[in-house]
Amino acid sequence: MHTAAAAPVNLVPVGRALLSVSDKTGLLDLARALAARGVELISTGGTAQTLRTAGLAVRDVAEVTGFPEMMDGRVKTLHPMVHGGLLALRDDDEHLVAMAAHGIEPIDLLVVNLYPFEQTVARGASYADCIENIDIGGPAMIRAASKNHKFVNVITDPQDYDALLGEMKAHDGATTYAFRQKLALTAYSRTAAYDAAVSAWMAGAIKEDTPRRRAFAGQLAQSLRYGENPHQKAAFYTDGTQRPGVATAQQWQGKELSYNNINDTDAAFELVAEFDPAEGPACAIIKHANPCGVARGATLTEAYGRAYDCDRTSAFGGIIALNQPLDEATAREITGIFTEVVIAPGASPEARAVFAAKKNLRLLTTDRLPDPQAKGLAWKQVAGGFLVQDRDNGFLRMEDLKVVTKRQPTEAELRDLLFAWTVAKHVKSNAIIYVKDGATVGVGAGQMSRVDSTRIAARKSQDMAEALGIAAPLTHGSVVASDAFFPFADGLITAAEAGATAIIQPGGSMRDDEVIAAADERGLAMVFTGMRHFRH
C-alpha cells in the first residue's frame, strides 16, 4: 500500500477530460464550454461521434490506449493508459516517473454516466439484455477518479455540468479540493446505487428470496425541513421503481411536503388504490398513517362525504386520497375544512382553480393508481440491521371466504365484509373496522388489546352519531373486520353489542370454537379468510 504524499492541493486546473456517456443530455454544451477553455477532449464510441458531428476536436480512447474497442465495446477503457491517467498522484515522484516512462497522460476530468441498467429492467427486458446493460468500464473509471479526487474531478450526472462550469469560471479553469470531494461523494453514491440495482435485479431473476447481502439505494428527491419532529433531520429519496404515488406525483400548489405529509400521503394513496375506479368512486382520509374514514359513493363527492362522516374530528388536517380524478364539486366540498394534502389520479382544471384559493392545501396528481397486487419489498430498520419482507399484496375474493357460522352472510354483508377487510389491511394493528353500506363507520387502530380497538371504534361511532344528530350509531347493522383472529370471544361480543351483524377475521385461534359459538349464540354471520393483515 502506498503511503499518502503531501496535503491536498486546493486549486487544480482542468487540462484534459475524458467524456463517455450514454445519456447525452447537455453533453454538447459542456464539451463546447470545456473546449473554449482549452481543455483537451478524449472520448469513446458514440460520444466521440456526437462531439465530432458538432465540430469539436476529440481524441479517441483507442488512440490514447493503442488498442481498438473490442468485444462489442465491452473492452475499451479498461487499460493502464486510462486508469493510470486517472489514478496517478501528481505530487508523488514515483508516480510521475512511471507516467513519463510509459507515456501516460493525466486525466483531470472524467464525465461518465452508466449504461441504463435500471431503465432496461424497468421496461421488462430479457435476462440477456439486462446483463448486456451492466456497465463495467464506467464504474471502474468512476471509482478510480473518485479515489484520486485529490487531483481529479468526476461527474456522473448531467445536473452537475453547470456546477462544474461555474466552479471553473470562478477559479480560472481550476477546481477546489472541497468541490472535488463533493463530486467524489456523488460518484461513489452512484456506483453504490448501480450495484444495488444490479444485485436486487439478479436476486429476483434467479428467485433468491434471501440473498446473503442485501443493498438498497435511493436518489435524493427533496431535503426536508425536519423529520417526524423538528429536532430530527430528514430527506426524501426515490428508489427508481416509478410506482405511482407521492414520489412520482406532480404537485400543483402549496408549500413543500413534510416528512409526515409524505408518509401519510403514501398511506392514503396505497389504501384508495385498493378500490378499482371502474367499480365506482372511493375516498380515503388518513391521519397519522391510519384511515379515519374510507367510503365508496355514487360520485366522488358522495364518497368523500361518507368518508368524512366516519370521524369528522380526526379528518381535520388530514390527507385525502381519491381513486378517480378530482372534479370541481368534490374540490368545493373538500375546501370546507382544513386539509393538508389531496392526492388523486388527475384533477380537472376547474378543480385546480377551486384549490388555488387555498394556498396551504397541497394538490398532488399522478397518471394512474399503484397496483395493490404488485410484488415488491418493504424494509424496516432495527438496531444493528433491518428487516425485509414482501410488500403485503394479499387479496381476497368472495370465493376465498369460508363461512364458519350457522347463519350465512347476506350479499350486502359480504360486500361490506370484503370492503372492511380491505381497509383493515391498511390500519395499524390491532385493527378493528366497522363498515356499513360501503363506508367505514368506526375505526379502532394501534391498540395493544384487540377488544380495546373494538370498543374505541364503537365509541367513535357513538360520538359521530351525536355530531350528525342521528338516533343510533351507524355501527347498528354494520359488519366488522379484524386484521387478526379474536383470541377470545370478548372482542366479538363487544362488536355484537355495538350492533354488528357479521364478522370477517382470519381464524386460527386455539379458541376459534368458542368464538364461533359466541357468534352463533348472537345470530351473527362470520367468515374466515385464512389470511392475516398485521401492520406495525
Side-chain angles (χ1 to χ4, degrees), residues 190-212:
R190 177 64 187 115
T191 56
Y194 197 77
D195 285 340
V198 173
S199 65
W201 164 77
M202 182 157 276
I206 67 174
K207 295 180 170 51
E208 180 64 60
D209 294 332
T210 55
R212 183 175 299 171

Side-chain angles (χ1 to χ4, degrees), residues 268-520:
F269 206 50
E270 290 289 336
L271 168 50
V272 87
E274 298 273 3
F275 302 103
D276 188 344
E279 297 177 4
C283 173
I285 306 175
I286 295 288
K287 194 68 170 291
H288 297 301
N290 273 309
C292 54
V294 186
R296 285 191 178 278
T299 64
L300 273 181
T301 304
E302 182 183 3
Y304 165 70
R306 301 185 75 213
Y308 178 49
D309 284 345
C310 178
D311 185 352
R312 290 185 175 184
T313 300
S314 298
F316 186 86
I319 309 290
I320 296 173
L322 307 168
N323 74 337
Q324 294 182 357
L326 176 67
D327 57 58
E328 180 181 7
T330 308
R332 292 194 182 280
E333 286 296 317
I334 289 172
T335 58
I337 65 165
F338 170 60
T339 298
E340 289 275 7
V341 181
V342 175
I343 184 169
S348 71
E350 295 81 8
R352 296 201 304 270
V354 170
F355 277 6
K358 297 287 185 179
K359 301 299 183 183
N360 290 328
L361 192 159
R362 291 91 148 187
L363 172 62
L364 305 180
T365 61
T366 63
D367 60 353
R368 64 191 190 281
L369 295 170
D371 179 1
Q373 297 180 53
K375 293 182 178 180
L377 293 178
W379 61 94
K380 178 181 180 180
Q381 184 179 13
V382 297
F386 52 89
L387 296 167
V388 181
Q389 64 175 347
D390 293 334
R391 178 191 294 124
D392 185 358
N393 62 350
F395 181 77
L396 292 178
R397 298 172 179 82
M398 289 286 189
E399 55 267 29
D400 299 318
L401 304 180
K402 177 184 178 182
V403 180
V404 294
T405 50
K406 295 176 181 177
R407 184 172 81 77
Q408 294 281 326
T410 66
E411 288 295 322
E413 285 174 332
L414 279 172
R415 287 193 298 270
D416 278 349
L417 287 169
L418 279 177
F419 184 99
W421 180 251
T422 300
V423 175
K425 174 181 171 181
H426 295 264
V427 177
K428 301 293 185 181
S429 300
N430 287 315
I432 294 292
I433 314 298
Y434 291 85
V435 166
K436 186 175 183 179
D437 300 329
T440 57
V441 294
V443 178
Q447 297 304 304
M448 293 68 75
S449 165
R450 188 160 301 279
V451 69
D452 283 345
S453 288
T454 311
R455 290 170 180 149
I456 288 170
R459 179 53 195 257
K460 280 181 169 288
S461 187
Q462 292 174 5
D463 293 343
M464 275 308 302
E466 294 177 10
L468 295 171
I470 57 179
L474 290 175
T475 51
H476 288 201
S478 68
V479 306
V480 170
S482 174
D483 64 343
F485 61 65
F486 286 101
F488 302 97
D490 54 357
L492 179 140
I493 293 169
T494 300
E497 290 172 347
T501 63
I503 311 287
I504 185 169
Q505 59 136 320
S509 167
M510 293 175 58
R511 296 180 175 83
D512 273 350
D513 289 344
E514 295 177 24
V515 176
I516 294 170
D520 283 336

